[in-house]
Structure formats: structure tokens, C-alpha cells
Amino acid sequence: MRKKANILVTGVGSIVGQGIIKCLKMANADERSSIWYDIIGANASPFAAGLYMVKKGVIIPKADDDKYIASLIDIIKRNKVSAVYVGTDPELATISRNKKLIEQETSAKVLVNPLNVIDIARDKWKTFRYLEENGFPCTESAIPEYLASFLDRHKFPLVVKPREAYGSLQFHVVNDRIELDYAISNIEKCGWRPIIQEYLAEEDNEYTTGVLIDTKHSRVISSVSIQKYLKFGQTYKALIDDFIEIRKLSEKISLTLGASGAVNIQSKLSDGINKVFEINPRFSATCPMRAVAGINEPDLHYRNAVLGQEIKLNSYKKLVCMRYWNEVYVEKQKYQEIVRTGIITRSRYSDR
């Protein structure tokens, strides 16, 4: 008999939140598993596919709403949730800041990185300074205050993007000073802060590495590097292989940073050097690929953080992954139900 675990996944309108759901469903499909995950999905909008992929979908306020944390605590209590996974970047700091409160008020473990880790990783300038100060190879970067000296060292083209994590939004490759100034102005008009980075020209040399850190002993549970091919800012083709040196670098960065749980390191080979340009203090959108390869990070995280299992995985399958579009269809009546009540429950819950 499997032990049932009620799980809350936030931000299920995002590719990350939906990836976590996929991984937990893969764990349910494994007949060897001793755990069955009953998944509750939460999102601020009813137009979130993940709400209709789980046992129960719940509408919650946005992360910057004063009622956000109280709504999470209420959901956790009502559903006897044992673990909370965070599915979107804007929620990370808010949930981490209130992790102690949530865990004191409920029986749930909040699976989120420490606030200082999120503060560094969510800001690309702080990420660059952390990497540089600790001697890690990284993409050289500057903020507008230091632009003059940066331009003395680097020729066009250059990359300009927001310091905060916004996916591919306002990502610019600029070829002269006019385009550079225009990109900086555009980002600032959106209320964001720009960062300028060297352009790494090599194609098909970009990697995303998922690292999972033991929450108690601060050691690596697993790491998987994926060579990725992008379309519209997301991985649409991928090669899963050993990539040992890239994995070792990502593990070292994660441990030095003081991460606890899931970390995602983005890097690119340039002139034979693996340069890191981004750290995401959360699960990656490519975590389902790792799960298929045999490293199911959300499942492993639960077993480690909640059940206290000590785990170390070193091997996984080598795969080629090709993504394609899929859809979720919802009867209008069901959609109207969640709009009206804020909750939708699937009467025939299946992981098939």
C-alpha cells in the first residue's frame, strides 16, 4: 500500500509549475514507488493549464498581494498538505521570506531555497559579482553605471536584458551604440533594470544543469547537464549526456552559493571555456527531461526534505529529447466553476 502525500504546487500556469506536476505524476506511474502524490495546483489566473491537470485546482492571489501567504496557509491546512513546491520566479522570495511562518502554522515543508540565495540568483548583476568574486568562469557583465569601461573591453554585438529573471522578455542582441541605448531605454521604461553582457557567439553550445542539494547535509544528491537548443527562449530540443566537467562546475557553484534543494545553472561554451551566465534558484523547466532520464528531482526533493532519506545518484540514461505542442481542454462549465468558486476538483483523477 502506497503512502499518500498531499502536495501543493504554485504557479501552475507556468512551464516550471507544469514541469513539477509532470515529474510527480511520473513518480506516481512508477509501481516501485512507496509514495502516491495527490497534487493540488494553485495559480492567480483561471487560464492556467496546470489547474486542470491535477486533483484539485485553486485560484490564489498574486505573490505581491497582502493576502497571498494567508491563502497558501489556508490551502495547506484545509488539504493537509505535506510539501509546497514553488512554480514561478515572482513567488520565490515571498515564499522563502515566509517559509518559517508557513511551516510553524502548518504541517508542510516549504521546498524553497534560502532568501539570500534567491536574492543573488534572481539578480543577474549580483549573480555575475558572486561568480566573479568566487573565481567561477562567467559571462562578463556590466550595468549602465560601468558601461564606458565595459565598452572599452568588449566589441559589438552585445546582449542587453533585464537584471531580474523575465525569461526572454526584453532580451536584445545589439550591434551598435544606438541599438544599445535603445535597448537600455526600453528595459527601463518597463520598470526593470538593464544589464549588458558579452555576446557568446558559438551556436549549439548552451547547457542547462539541474543540481539538487541535500537540505540537511548540504551535499549533492544529483546533477544532470543538458545541451539545449532554444526556440522563443525555451528548450525545444535537447541532448542528455554525461557532460562531467559542466556538471562538476555547476555542483561547486551551487554548494558555494549555499543552495538548499533545487538549482538550475545556465552556461555556454566559448573558446573552450564553460561560462555561466544565469542561476535559477528553483527547478528548471527541463526537470521532466531529467525525470525521464532517471533523475526525478521533485520526487527526490520530497524524499530528502520531508522523509529524511539520504540519497546520492550518479548515473542516468543518455537521451535525445524533442518537444512538441500539446493542449489541455476544459469544458466551459468547469472553467466557469473555478471562476465562480475559486476551486475545481477532478471527479475522476488519473495520472494517465
Side-chain angles (χ1 to χ4, degrees):
M1 179 67 72
R2 289 192 185 187
K3 182 179 179 181
K4 189 176 79 169
N6 291 336
I7 303 299
L8 174 62
V9 181
T10 72
V12 296
S14 74
I15 190 172
V16 174
Q18 291 162 18
I20 294 169
I21 292 172
K22 286 182 182 179
C23 290
L24 295 176
K25 287 188 172 187
M26 286 185 214
N28 283 351
D30 186 348
E31 295 180 356
R32 299 167 298 176
S33 176
S34 60
I35 308 168
W36 178 274
Y37 296 107
D38 268 352
I39 309 166
I40 301 160
N43 203 79
S45 167
F47 281 111
L51 291 172
Y52 310 96
M53 297 163 58
V54 295
K55 183 176 183 180
K56 180 186 287 186
V58 185
I59 300 295
I60 59 172
K62 292 184 177 181
D64 58 359
D65 192 300
D66 291 340
K67 297 178 181 178
Y68 175 75
I69 293 298
S71 71
L72 290 185
I73 291 174
D74 181 62
I75 293 167
I76 294 167
K77 286 182 174 179
R78 286 177 181 272
N79 296 279
K80 298 180 180 178
V81 168
S82 58
V84 179
Y85 293 82
V86 186
T88 65
D89 286 309
E91 295 174 298
L92 288 169
T94 302
I95 290 180
S96 183
R97 192 178 296 114
N98 290 277
K99 171 182 167 76
K100 186 176 180 180
L101 171 64
I102 295 170
E103 292 184 342
Q104 285 176 341
E105 292 286 323
T106 72
S107 58
K109 283 281 188 180
V110 180
L111 307 183
V112 68
N113 267 291
L115 190 59
N116 65 308
V117 172
I118 294 169
D119 181 60
I120 293 171
R122 285 274 295 146
D123 185 327
K124 294 180 179 66
W125 175 243
K126 291 182 180 179
T127 297
F128 165 69
R129 296 292 300 272
Y130 157 76
L131 293 168
E132 186 181 49
E133 290 169 3
N134 285 277
F136 295 120
C138 57
T139 304
E140 189 166 349
S141 306
I143 52 178
E145 295 94 295
Y146 307 120
L147 184 57
S149 60
F150 182 83
L151 292 177
D152 287 339
R153 300 190 304 277
H154 296 282
K155 296 179 179 180
F156 291 99
L158 299 170
V159 170
V160 187
K161 55 188 175 183
R163 284 170 58 171
E164 297 77 10
Y166 293 106
S168 59
L169 289 177
Q170 288 294 333
F171 177 93
H172 303 264
V173 177
V174 298
N175 295 290
D176 54 41
R177 186 58 192 259
I178 294 175
E179 291 182 4
L180 172 62
D181 291 340
Y182 178 78
I184 290 173
S185 175
N186 263 9
I187 292 169
E188 290 176 338
K189 284 178 182 178
C190 292
W192 301 334
R193 300 174 296 172
I195 186 169
I196 303 93
Q197 295 183 324
E198 63 175 314
Y199 177 71
L200 305 180
E202 288 84 350
E203 297 294 330
D204 302 335
N205 276 326
E206 191 163 331
Y207 297 85
T208 175
T209 304
V211 182
L212 189 63
I213 303 296
D214 188 307
T215 57
K216 183 177 180 181
H217 299 289
S218 297
R219 60 192 180 201
V220 175
I221 292 175
S222 65
S223 67
V224 181
S225 291
I226 298 174
Q227 186 174 359
K228 63 180 184 176
Y229 304 83
L230 298 175
K231 182 175 284 186
F232 307 123
Q234 293 294 339
T235 303
Y236 81 108
K237 292 188 290 186
L239 175 63
I240 303 175
D241 212 322
D242 284 326
F243 304 122
I244 294 173
E245 294 305 316
I246 294 172
R247 287 170 55 200
K248 285 182 178 178
L249 174 62
S250 299
E251 290 176 6
K252 190 173 182 181
I253 290 171
S254 301
L255 290 170
T256 305
L257 185 59
S260 178
V263 186
N264 174 246
I265 310 288
Q266 305 283 333
S267 62
K268 194 167 186 177
L269 282 177
S270 179
D271 296 325
I273 301 172
N274 181 44
K275 294 185 177 182
V276 174
F277 61 87
E278 188 171 309
I279 301 174
N280 295 309
R282 51 162 172 76
F283 290 107
S284 165
T286 51
C287 66
M289 298 181 191
R290 296 183 180 86
V292 173
I295 305 293
N296 191 327
E297 295 162 317
D299 177 50
L300 293 171
H301 198 4
Y302 182 89
R303 293 175 181 278
N304 174 248
V306 180
L307 302 183
Q309 295 179 7
E310 294 187 16
I311 307 165
K312 175 65 177 176
L313 297 178
N314 295 307
S315 62
Y316 49 86
K317 290 184 285 187
K318 313 305 183 290
L319 298 171
V320 175
C321 173
M322 291 157 280
R323 273 180 166 162
Y324 62 94
W325 283 102
N326 206 345
E327 296 82 32
V328 172
Y329 297 95
V330 181
E331 292 179 2
K332 187 177 179 181
Q333 182 182 353
K334 288 289 186 182
Y335 171 77
Q336 290 174 332
E337 178 186 333
I338 197 169
V339 170
R340 184 179 69 255
T341 67
I343 299 174
I344 188 167
T345 302
R346 289 177 61 179
S347 57
R348 294 182 179 178
Y349 181 49
S350 171
D351 278 348
R352 296 176 183 174

